[in-house]
Amino acid sequence: GTRSSAASHGIHADWSPTEKRGRDGRVQSLSGRFQVTVSRYCVSTENNQTSQVFGKPALLVIDVQGDLTTSRHDAVRDFPMAGYNDYMRRIPALITAARECKLPIIYMQEVHHPSLVDFGRELDGFERVHCLENVPGTAISAEVDRRADDFWVRKRRYSCFFGTDLEILLRGLEATTLLLVGGFSDVCVHYTFADAHQRDYVCRVVEDCVAGSSQAAHEAALAAMDYLQPGCRCKRDVLITNLRGQTVA
C-alpha cells in the first residue's frame, strides 16, 4: 500500500489497491480501501465528550506579557474583558504540567518598533499603540516562567504564524497538536488557531486560560474556533489530569 502524507500529523492512512485487468494485461479499473490508524492522547471535556490530541502536543503561550498583578480592565473603554489577568494567572499551572510531561513550550511575544513602522493596519480599529520594544509592559510576564531552554518567538502581527519562524520550529519538533493559551482569545489566539487549522494542525484552546478584548468577543471567538474543530475547547484542570495520566486511546 501507499502511505499518505498525513502520517506526519499522527494519522496514518494506507491505500491497498486492487486492479482489474483485461485479456491484454492492461488495467481496466482500480479500486481499493484505506486503512487508517491514529496515534493520540485523549482529553475529556467538561461535557464528557472526548477531545482527541493527536500525536505530539506543543503548548503555545500567546502574548502573556506585562504585569499580571495589576488589573488591565479599562472601565471607560470596557477593554479588555473583566478579570483578564485572572485567566492569565491560571496558565502557570498548565506550564508546570507541560514541563513534567516533557511537552515543548513555545512563548509567543508581540513586539513593535518604536517608530510604529511595523503596525500596518493594527491601529485602524479599537486598539491603541501597544507592545513597543524595550518597554517593561512588553516583556513576557514573569509569572509564566519562561526559561532559557524554552522556545521563544517574537511576532509583529496577530497570528503567531504570520511573518515568524513558528512553522519551521513546529516542523522540527514534529508537533501535531497545538494547545493554545493566552490573549486575546478573539484576536491573536483566534487568528493563530485559524492559521494552524489551515496548516492541518489539531488545535485545542484551553478556554479558562484565554481571555478576550471583551466578554462578548471572547465568547464569539470560542464559538468560532469550535466551529472549525468541534470539541476543540477544553478546561485546564481536565487537560492537566489527562496529560499527567498520559491517557492514550
Side-chain angles (χ1 to χ4, degrees), residues 109-214:
Q109 180 189 23
E110 183 175 348
V111 293
H112 294 285
H113 194 272
S115 69
L116 313 187
V117 68
D118 55 4
F119 266 103
R121 308 238 65 88
E122 278 197 22
L123 303 180
D124 286 3
F126 194 70
E127 293 193 1
R128 298 172 178 172
V129 172
H130 56 280
C131 295
L132 296 181
E133 293 177 357
N134 302 319
V135 172
T138 301
I140 292 174
S141 300
E143 289 87 344
V144 292
D145 189 29
R146 183 175 72 87
R147 301 179 183 179
D149 56 349
D150 292 321
F151 300 99
W152 173 35
V153 178
R154 304 201 330 165
K155 63 188 181 71
R156 303 288 179 175
R157 300 297 172 89
Y158 296 138
S159 171
C160 294
F161 287 92
F162 190 92
T164 74
D165 59 0
L166 176 61
E167 193 163 11
I168 295 173
L169 173 59
L170 292 174
R171 193 179 305 130
L173 294 170
E174 298 182 341
T176 58
T177 294
L178 305 184
L179 311 176
L180 308 183
V181 299
F184 290 149
S185 45
D186 52 310
V187 187
C188 296
V189 174
H190 187 187
Y191 286 27
T192 299
F193 186 108
D195 278 353
H197 174 77
Q198 294 181 115
R199 288 167 170 80
D200 299 328
Y201 289 99
V202 174
C203 301
R204 296 294 177 253
V205 56
V206 188
E207 61 182 4
D208 52 352
C209 291
V210 295
S213 60
S214 71

Side-chain angles (χ1 to χ4, degrees), residues 12-177:
H12 303 283
D14 290 284
W15 169 251
S16 300
T18 301
E19 297 177 350
K20 182 178 181 180
R21 296 179 179 270
R23 292 182 178 179
D24 58 0
R26 294 182 179 180
V27 176
Q28 294 180 330
S29 64
L30 182 66
S31 61
R33 65 185 181 88
F34 276 110
Q35 178 73 30
V36 179
T37 57
V38 180
S39 60
R40 60 187 181 269
Y41 293 90
C42 273
V43 182
S44 299
T45 57
E46 187 178 39
N47 60 3
N48 294 322
Q49 294 179 345
T50 299
S51 178
Q52 295 173 337
V53 182
F54 294 95
K56 296 183 178 180
L59 176 61
L60 261 63
V61 182
I62 301 173
D63 299 356
V64 184
Q65 299 170 225
D67 180 11
L68 297 185
T69 63
T70 303
S71 175
R72 299 188 182 193
H73 182 68
D74 182 340
V76 175
R77 301 175 73 213
D78 193 22
F79 173 87
M81 64 183 276
Y84 182 91
N85 281 354
D86 294 336
Y87 288 84
M88 299 301 104
R89 285 194 288 266
R90 294 189 181 109
I91 295 173
L94 179 56
I95 291 173
T96 297
R99 294 195 197 284
E100 292 174 2
C101 298
K102 309 300 183 185
L103 267 62
I105 304 169
I106 304 170
Y107 291 84
M108 303 301 305
Q109 180 189 23
E110 183 175 348
V111 293
H112 294 285
H113 194 272
S115 69
L116 313 187
V117 68
D118 55 4
F119 266 103
R121 308 238 65 88
E122 278 197 22
L123 303 180
D124 286 3
F126 194 70
E127 293 193 1
R128 298 172 178 172
V129 172
H130 56 280
C131 295
L132 296 181
E133 293 177 357
N134 302 319
V135 172
T138 301
I140 292 174
S141 300
E143 289 87 344
V144 292
D145 189 29
R146 183 175 72 87
R147 301 179 183 179
D149 56 349
D150 292 321
F151 300 99
W152 173 35
V153 178
R154 304 201 330 165
K155 63 188 181 71
R156 303 288 179 175
R157 300 297 172 89
Y158 296 138
S159 171
C160 294
F161 287 92
F162 190 92
T164 74
D165 59 0
L166 176 61
E167 193 163 11
I168 295 173
L169 173 59
L170 292 174
R171 193 179 305 130
L173 294 170
E174 298 182 341
T176 58
T177 294

Side-chain angles (χ1 to χ4, degrees), residues 226-240:
D226 194 68
Y227 173 84
L228 291 178
Q229 293 192 18
C232 70
R233 297 165 62 171
C234 59
K235 297 284 191 179
R236 182 200 67 176
D237 290 349
V238 174
L239 178 60
I240 288 174

